[in-house]
């Protein structure tokens, strides 16, 4: 559990962009994994299997709270625009990774659920196309296509923060 | 490949899964396209941020999970779930069904109530004269017996 705890907590946090919900979800993921250990046949890596449980659980949570309005990108820009710029533009290792994670989670929360899932699996968990395809039970082409869309959407959303000078012009 | 196609492929430029030939054609395009260079730079910054934003380990996490798991592990060992759920639901349900069927059978097949007086006086020829009353001539004798 200790080996996967940080990764699963980060995954839940990035998916749900809420600390309390993410902590609860991460705990629930390990409980579910314990309960269904019999279903793990070792076809995929244990980490991939547990990320799948986390991904499905977070999507469930997101669907249940669909009515709750997520903060729009404009609101984020208005409220934390300068902070977001500073965090995203700096290439240095962040002093407080939690702050960067919060900012990224906020940006991710403005993406569609499936795109968010794709970015988290690839960029946060570092899974290969093949691992993602196994996890999501889809083809490699589908993974590439969804990943391309998700990355494009994310870059477009963050362009303002990444190139503040260009957007002020 | 045209600009639009290469612009889409930009997002896979650094992925190890991307074939070398594709990477080379993107690299050649980047030499001449400022827009794609900016997009790629943005994307690389974002990717770096994701890898830097892994949360710190929580000292209480394992303890909290174990605490939530404890009531479950105490309740039933692995594999006993089916049997315990059978005991919890199936057997009481069968018991209740049996009780309802039994009650129905008893109600529908019960005998008509027995009139004790009629039964006792059935083979007495003068049974009708046994009724006591002020008019009966030997009421006094009978009561004195």
């Amino acid at each position: 559990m200790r080996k996967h705890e940080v990764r699963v907590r980060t995954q839940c946090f990035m998916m749900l962009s809420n600390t309390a919900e993410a902590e609860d979800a991460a705990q629930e993921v390990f409980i579910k994994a314990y309960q269904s250990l019999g279903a793990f046949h070792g076809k995929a890596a244990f980490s991939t299997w547990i990320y799948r449980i986390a991904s499905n659980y977070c999507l469930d949570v997101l669907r249940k709270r669909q009515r709750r309005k997520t903060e729009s990108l404009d609101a984020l820009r208005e409220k934390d625009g300068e902070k977001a710029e500073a965090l995203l533009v700096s290439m240095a290792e962040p002093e407080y990774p939690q702050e960067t994670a919060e900012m990224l989670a906020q940006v991710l929360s403005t993406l569609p659920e499936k795109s968010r899932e794709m970015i988290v699996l690839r960029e946060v968990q570092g899974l290969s196309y093949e691992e993602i395809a196994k996890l999501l039970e889809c083809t490699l082409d589908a993974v590439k296509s969804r990943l391309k869309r998700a990355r494009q959407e994310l870059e477009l959303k963050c362009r303002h923060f990444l190139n503040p000078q260009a957007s002020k012009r | 490949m045209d600009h639009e196609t290469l612009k889409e492929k930009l997002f896979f430029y650094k992925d190890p899964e991307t074939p070398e030939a594709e990477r080379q054609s993107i690299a050649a395009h980047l030499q001449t396209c400022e827009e794609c260079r900016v997009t790629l730079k943005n994307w690389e910054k974002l990717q770096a941020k994701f890898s830097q934003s892994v949360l710190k380990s929580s000292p209480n996490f394992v303890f909290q999970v174990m605490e939530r798991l404890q009531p479950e592990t105490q309740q039933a060992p692995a594999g006993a779930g089916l049997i315990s759920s059978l005991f919890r639901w199936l057997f009481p349900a069968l018991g209740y069904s049996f009780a309802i069927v039994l009650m129905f059978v008893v109600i529908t097949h019960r005998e008509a109530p027995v009139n004790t007086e009629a039964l006792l006086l059935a083979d007495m020829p003068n049974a009708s004269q046994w009724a006591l009353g002020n008019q009966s001539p030997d009421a006094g004798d009978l009561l004195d017996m």
Side-chain angles (χ1 to χ4, degrees):
Chain A
M1 197 190 302
R2 286 183 205 282
K3 193 178 165 191
H4 302 285
E5 170 239 322
V6 170
R7 287 274 163 196
V8 170
R9 279 177 51 243
T10 308
Q11 181 177 1
C12 293
F13 181 67
M14 288 292 183
M15 286 290 286
L16 302 172
S17 63
N18 177 301
T19 313
E21 266 185 339
E23 286 298 318
D24 189 62
Q27 290 179 18
E28 198 58 44
V29 167
F30 280 99
I31 292 170
K32 279 182 185 294
Y34 170 79
Q35 286 168 338
S36 46
L37 259 180
F40 175 65
H41 303 300
K43 282 179 192 167
F46 183 77
S47 55
T48 314
W49 182 70
I50 205 160
Y51 297 160
R52 180 187 184 167
I53 298 176
S55 196
N56 288 342
Y57 185 77
C58 290
L59 286 176
D60 270 352
V61 173
L62 287 174
R63 276 177 209 131
K64 276 178 198 159
R65 75 165 188 204
Q66 216 161 32
R67 282 188 203 140
R68 200 196 303 170
K69 219 176 156 187
T70 50
E71 196 170 23
S72 73
L73 200 68
D74 286 337
L76 174 66
R77 213 175 285 174
E78 190 96 353
K79 205 173 79 185
D80 290 321
E82 280 181 25
K83 195 173 153 192
E85 272 173 30
L87 286 170
L88 295 179
V89 170
S90 157
M91 288 303 277
E93 189 84 14
E95 204 174 338
Y96 305 104
Q98 176 80 25
E99 271 191 339
T100 315
E102 278 171 19
M103 194 53 64
L104 288 171
Q106 263 183 292
V107 178
L108 280 178
S109 72
T110 64
L111 293 185
E113 284 167 18
K114 291 285 174 185
S115 297
R116 204 181 311 178
E117 180 186 37
M118 196 52 89
I119 294 286
V120 171
L121 291 175
R122 177 71 187 188
E123 313 305 341
V124 179
Q125 303 297 36
L127 298 186
S128 67
Y129 297 167
E130 210 174 320
E131 285 169 324
I132 299 175
K134 266 189 198 158
L135 190 149
L136 299 178
E137 290 171 355
C138 63
T139 62
L140 272 177
D141 284 341
V143 170
K144 277 187 185 178
S145 152
R146 286 188 213 169
L147 190 60
K148 183 188 75 189
R149 200 177 322 129
R151 284 172 165 179
Q152 276 177 327
E153 283 170 339
L154 185 64
E155 191 270 330
L156 201 65
K157 299 255 181 193
C158 293
R159 200 173 282 180
H160 176 91
F161 303 118
L162 293 163
N163 286 314
Q165 301 307 321
S167 54
K168 277 170 196 164
R169 261 182 249 151
Chain B
M1 274 190 267
D2 64 353
H3 169 76
E4 285 307 314
T5 317
L6 283 161
K7 199 177 159 188
E8 286 185 354
K9 290 189 183 294
L10 268 184
F11 291 95
F12 300 112
Y13 183 55
K14 289 278 171 79
D15 286 359
E17 291 95 337
T18 304
E20 193 48 41
E22 206 168 280
R23 211 193 310 271
Q24 279 175 7
S25 59
I26 299 169
H29 177 70
L30 283 170
Q31 302 279 328
T32 56
C33 183
E34 167 74 12
E35 188 192 337
C36 286
R37 273 204 300 271
V38 171
T39 308
L40 181 65
K41 204 174 163 192
N42 284 347
W43 176 243
E44 283 176 351
K45 275 185 204 168
L46 269 173
Q47 254 187 333
K49 290 294 158 194
F50 275 108
S51 56
Q52 291 167 352
S53 60
V54 173
L55 299 182
K56 282 182 183 159
S57 174
S58 159
N60 297 326
F61 186 80
V62 176
F63 174 74
Q64 284 164 338
V65 174
M66 294 312 284
E67 210 169 45
R68 281 173 73 170
L69 265 172
Q70 220 153 26
E72 240 174 81
T73 45
Q74 276 170 0
Q75 254 176 21
L82 182 69
I83 296 163
S84 71
S85 68
L86 272 181
F87 274 109
R88 215 179 306 146
W89 298 106
L90 185 65
F91 293 124
L94 283 175
Y96 283 126
S97 314
F98 180 72
I100 290 167
V101 169
L102 196 67
M103 220 156 69
F104 181 76
V105 169
V106 167
I107 289 169
T108 53
H109 289 80
R110 70 178 173 175
E111 288 177 12
V114 179
N115 185 337
T116 325
E117 196 181 351
L119 188 74
L120 290 171
L121 301 176
D123 45 351
M124 294 287 230
N126 303 322
S128 57
Q129 291 173 12
W130 278 63
L132 296 179
N134 291 335
Q135 292 80 14
S136 179
D138 50 353
D141 296 341
L142 270 170
L143 291 169
D144 287 340
M145 277 169 69

